[in-house]
Amino acid sequence: MGPPEFATKHEQIIQHIEGLSVGTRISVRKIAQELEVSEGTAYRAIKDAENRGIVSTKERTGTVRVEKKQRLHIDKLTFEEIVKMVDGEVLGGAAGLHKTLSKFVIGAMQLEAMIRYIEPGNLLIVGNRTRAHHSALTLGAGVLITGGFDTTEDVKELADELELPIIRSGYDTFTVAALINRAIFDRVIKKQILLVGDILRQDVTVAYLHKSDTVDDLLAKIEETNHNRFPVVDDSFKPVGMITTKDIIGAAGSQTIDKLMTRNPHTVTPQTSVATAGHMMVWEAIELLPVIDEKGKLHGVISRKDVLKAMQNIQMQPQNGETLEDQIWSAFEERRDEEGRLYYHGAIAAHMSNQVGNMSEGILASLISQVVTRTMKEHRRGDLHIDSTSVYYLAPVEIEQNVDLYPTVIESSRRFCKVLVEVSTGGKRVAQAMITARLFDQA
């Protein structure tokens, strides 16, 4: 059996829209008249074109033909934009300013350790360390030198040869990292936008019904799959409705489901963002969305549970563009002393210093908060919100010193905890903090 007239007309409308010049206004009535199709067919095709990214609908301008956006070119951050962002000066590699970056690395550790974290397309943020500048370039990364420092002529020549920018900024490392980190969050470089295709399960056969199936067929499908709602397809395997157990209440077993289903179902494509699918499900009170391919055929389904799980996982996965706290904490590791007591050990790098060369009090407070969070996760599963912090600074901490942070849980109930954190260098206590926090169970 050949495809029905609807399938042919649908593709004709899509091809017609693709042939229109960018900026052309499109309406259901106009398409229906020009191509001699029903307004329902025109509407479905225009919505499909919107899913494919070739038309856009806005509140006041209506639906217009737009240039199809390529996913690979989503708002990338370039080295040239970094220069503007940090009021920088290009010392070498200007031919590579158009290149995009995917991650930045703070050069806060020994060179040998730093090299393991640097990859092509990265940006190394570092101070007056010419060996690090040279190594980063050879690994395919650009370099941003903080504190207004210069670099050697051979490094500049290497940057020109490799077409990798080396940039100088008068800002300190903390300020530069904060500026770029904010841009990474805003420009969605820290992770790709999560799409429906990313969460669509490929290992499960799609459960569906044909519009000519009966109520008895639906009951058998429910028994087989333990699901209670299904997409309904036509002869060309395109979704034409949704059927649920509520729709068949009181219906005879021989009744065909095309008379009972909800017609014109909302659909998404694998290229639809999960955020958009989630908004659609909430706004339209939908529990299950059919996913269609480029020809409008059923490709899979996603449930509200799938979307919620994906949105939660976004928050838990490590990101390429880490927060400044993550970058600072990366220099610390968990250890146990001879008595089995948990503590955290790390070195104070140059970018953690204040204006007089000692460890920044703000960064120390951030480390203490991280210690409390990690300590309470050892005791119980859940999250916490810090209510109050009292820090006593007993002695300055110089850069490049090793620091140990010892947490002690003073009090812990279902809702609150109190943790003492002692900070020492070389066995000498340099700070002490008392933190009170509110505890929350994870859902």
Side-chain angles (χ1 to χ4, degrees), residues 354-370:
N354 58 20
Q355 65 272 21
V356 297
N358 294 325
M359 182 180 185
S360 162
E361 290 83 357
I363 289 180
L364 179 57
S366 173
L367 287 172
I368 290 170
S369 296
Q370 289 269 10

Side-chain angles (χ1 to χ4, degrees), residues 372-374 376-385 438-443:
V372 172
T373 300
R374 292 165 190 271
M376 292 313 299
K377 284 187 179 294
E378 285 268 315
H379 281 69
R380 50 172 287 173
R381 183 176 177 178
D383 299 313
L384 60 82
H385 172 75
R438 192 175 308 168
L439 300 167
F440 300 94
D441 290 328
Q442 288 181 343

